[in-house]
Amino acid sequence: MFPLRTLALVVSTGLLAGCAVGPDYHRPAVPLPEHYQTQPALRERSVSPPASFTVWWNGFGDPLLSQFVSDALAQNLDLAQATARMNQSRAGLGAATAALLPSGNISGQAARAYQSAETPLGQVLSATPDYNRYGNSYETDLNASWEIDVFGGLRRGRQAALADYQASEAGVAATRLAVAAQTADIYITLRGLQARLAIADKQVSTQQELLEKVQLLNAKGLAPAYQVRQTEGELAQVEATVPVLRTGIDAAMNALDVMLGTPPGTHRAELALPGAIPQVPQITSTGTPADLLRRRPDIIVAERHLAASSARIGVAVSEYYPKFSLTALLGSATAVSGSNLFSGGASQSAGVLGLRWRLFDFGRINAQIEQAKGQEQEALAAYRLSVLRATEDVENAFSALVNRETQTATLTRGESALASARQSSFIAYRQGTASLMDVLHNDETLLQASDARAQAQTESARAAVATFRALGGGWQPPG
């Protein structure tokens, strides 16, 4: 009785203490600056009204853009995969929780056997008068078992499963953020290419008029032949940009369809309608670098993976200690008739206190612990790197947004000046003080400036999308 009492004392002491071997997890501190380097310049922007941080795509003022982003968040297949992975992690958490609880099952069987008369037992029984070679047996049992988590290995396993599930939840948010940003980026790129294509078509028309004028002057002996060839070459260069732009437009339309979870070409007719490049909204909710730890779901994913790896060290350490289990059986069995199955004489019961201890396997346990510690160190480095890269994303996005908007404003002023120059040359042409070639050359210069401005405007809107994505906009962080 003494060993049983000692074992019971160890088990009860461990349960009452609630101890769990291995390290207790604490989120590591990561040194971060108090503010972003380009944050002051971002605050000085004077643009349209601010956008909501959670539904930032509505701030661009483009209903079709908002519709496509909403459809992508409902239909995107990458997001569906991330949701499926989260469901798998939830099931893993349920299994880890169930491992802490007792388990039970009911079993029963009825058998009929025909005894061989050639075996030693059969020869003895066959000598018995009225021996019946047929035999029946009936049994039903209720089994229960429980692994007593004295040293916390199962609890550490549940902590790891919970952290994995939380990481998968944050992974869904990260995918949602990426889907919204990619959809908006593709749409803005498409509108920019369409605007540039319209400008290129005008450039082709202007160059054709210029070529006709030069050819006419050459026929009259007023322009040399090399000017004709030079103008033809310039026309060919402009015409060559049109197929490139059309290819980009087709690729953007196809990419947008895939983001929406539909076959390429589904929304082509809707997207073919002309539309302006979306305007960049004001970004007010920038926060601080420290806020990224809660805002960015990819950082939360890395931090939860670190928590899971820390808990798995405890799972490995728990293998140093014995495992205790309780098993009970309550049932009834008879080998005569099923009608006597639940009689008092057929009842049976058993209780077992089990012990499992890897007493001579400590070398392998040491290796498993070292492996778990190495995985934790890897996860820690990945977490710190994700924080640094997140701040880098924000800094780069702020810089791109501010500088692209400056470029757009400069090109807009230049376009306006060239438009005035073109109008002046046209008036001079009507008054007979300037030639048509001067007007056409001014048209070509103006269209080139318009193309550069359209590119800069597109990149400004894309930089705004990148900024919202870098800040973690598009989802609601947990409390």
Side-chain angles (χ1 to χ4, degrees):
M1 295 298 293
F2 178 74
L4 291 178
R5 290 177 179 176
T6 304
L7 185 60
L9 179 61
V10 172
V11 171
S12 60
T13 303
L15 290 175
L16 290 175
C19 64
V21 295
D24 292 327
Y25 174 74
H26 300 283
R27 189 174 69 182
V30 180
L32 291 172
E34 296 182 357
H35 57 81
Y36 301 108
Q37 298 298 318
T38 52
Q39 198 166 5
L42 191 70
R43 291 174 177 170
E44 295 175 359
R45 297 169 60 243
S46 57
V47 292
S48 54
S52 169
F53 190 70
T54 53
V55 286
W56 51 264
W57 47 87
N58 292 337
F60 286 87
D62 190 320
L64 196 56
L65 169 61
S66 300
Q67 174 191 331
F68 282 142
V69 172
S70 299
D71 291 345
L73 293 177
Q75 303 167 188
N76 183 264
L77 297 180
D78 288 329
L79 191 54
Q81 293 181 65
T83 303
R85 288 192 293 269
M86 182 188 69
N87 293 334
Q88 295 173 44
S89 296
R90 183 188 293 118
L93 174 59
T97 303
L100 292 166
L101 305 175
S103 64
N105 64 81
I106 297 176
S107 62
Q109 64 178 7
R112 182 173 176 81
Y114 185 71
Q115 177 66 48
S116 171
E118 298 299 328
T119 63
L121 178 61
Q123 291 177 357
V124 173
L125 293 177
S126 62
T128 305
D130 300 328
Y131 168 63
N132 186 0
R133 295 175 65 182
Y134 287 97
N136 299 329
S137 64
Y138 304 90
E139 183 175 0
T140 179
D141 297 304
L142 172 62
N143 298 278
S145 62
W146 180 29
E147 181 177 339
I148 307 173
D149 192 29
V150 180
F151 299 101
L154 294 178
R155 276 169 284 164
R156 291 299 190 192
R158 186 187 181 280
Q159 290 175 5
L162 176 60
D164 285 336
Y165 170 62
Q166 292 169 338
S168 66
E169 278 189 315
V172 173
T175 305
R176 176 185 174 87
L177 189 156
V179 166
Q182 290 175 12
T183 303
D185 185 81
I186 294 171
Y187 178 84
I188 292 170
T189 300
L190 172 63
R191 290 308 189 197
L193 290 172
Q194 289 175 331
R196 292 187 61 201
L197 179 61
I199 295 171
D201 289 336
K202 292 180 180 179
Q203 285 179 310
V204 170
S205 177
T206 300
Q207 284 291 340
Q208 287 174 342
E209 291 183 21
L210 180 59
L211 177 60
E212 292 174 359
K213 181 64 175 178
V214 172
Q215 288 174 337
L216 180 61
L217 293 175
N218 176 258
K220 295 180 178 180
L222 300 177
Y226 77 87
Q227 286 189 352
V228 177
R229 300 296 176 260
Q230 182 179 6
T231 308
E232 289 176 343
E234 293 173 352
L235 174 60
Q237 287 182 342
V238 175
E239 289 177 333
T241 64
V242 174
V244 176
L245 294 173
R246 292 191 183 278
T247 300
I249 289 173
D250 290 339
M253 287 183 177
N254 294 334
L256 190 56
D257 282 327
V258 172
M259 291 298 298
L260 297 175
T262 57
T266 303
H267 300 88
R268 183 172 293 270
E270 187 177 9
L271 292 169
L273 299 175
I277 300 172
Q279 297 297 315
V280 180
Q282 179 69 30
I283 302 174
T284 56
S285 181
T286 58
T288 65
D291 293 333
L292 289 180
L293 302 181
R294 187 175 59 90
R295 278 184 165 187
R296 289 268 299 228
D298 57 329
I299 295 180
I300 297 176
V301 170
E303 188 272 332
R304 289 290 84 198
H305 283 163
L306 175 60
S309 63
S310 175
R312 289 192 176 95
I313 295 177
V315 175
V317 172
S318 70
E319 292 299 313
Y320 273 137
Y321 302 93
K323 301 291 191 298
F324 303 101
S325 63
L326 293 175
T327 303
L329 178 145
L330 180 63
S332 182
T334 177
V336 180
S337 171
S339 59
N340 299 327
L341 181 61
F342 297 104
S343 63
S347 63
Q348 59 182 4
S349 61
V352 179
L353 176 61
L355 168 65
R356 181 180 66 86
W357 196 357
R358 297 172 60 180
L359 190 58
F360 302 104
D361 200 21
F362 286 168
R364 187 173 300 176
I365 295 174
N366 289 337
Q368 293 172 348
I369 293 174
E370 291 303 318
Q371 182 182 25
K373 289 181 178 179
Q375 292 172 348
E376 185 200 30
Q377 292 171 0
E378 180 183 2
L380 176 60
Y383 169 64
R384 289 175 173 170
L385 182 59
S386 67
V387 174
L388 295 179
R389 285 180 172 169
T391 54
E392 179 190 17
D393 288 345
V394 176
E395 294 285 5
N396 291 341
F398 283 0
S399 176
L401 178 59
V402 171
N403 290 308
R404 285 294 188 179
E405 286 186 335
T406 301
Q407 180 190 29
T408 302
T410 302
L411 292 173
T412 300
R413 290 196 302 271
E415 183 183 16
S416 177
L418 290 172
S420 299
R422 189 270 175 194
Q423 183 64 22
S424 298
S425 66
F426 182 73
I427 294 175
Y429 165 71
R430 295 181 61 180
Q431 294 175 350
T433 58
S435 67
L436 180 59
M437 289 184 62
D438 293 332
V439 177
L440 295 175
H441 278 302
N442 286 330
D443 282 339
E444 176 63 18
T445 304
L446 175 60
L447 290 172
Q448 290 176 354
S450 298
D451 182 69
R453 188 265 310 153
Q455 293 184 61
Q457 186 178 352
T458 302
E459 293 304 317
S460 295
R462 294 183 65 195
V465 172
T467 300
F468 282 116
R469 180 175 181 175
L471 290 172
W475 75 299
Q476 185 63 42

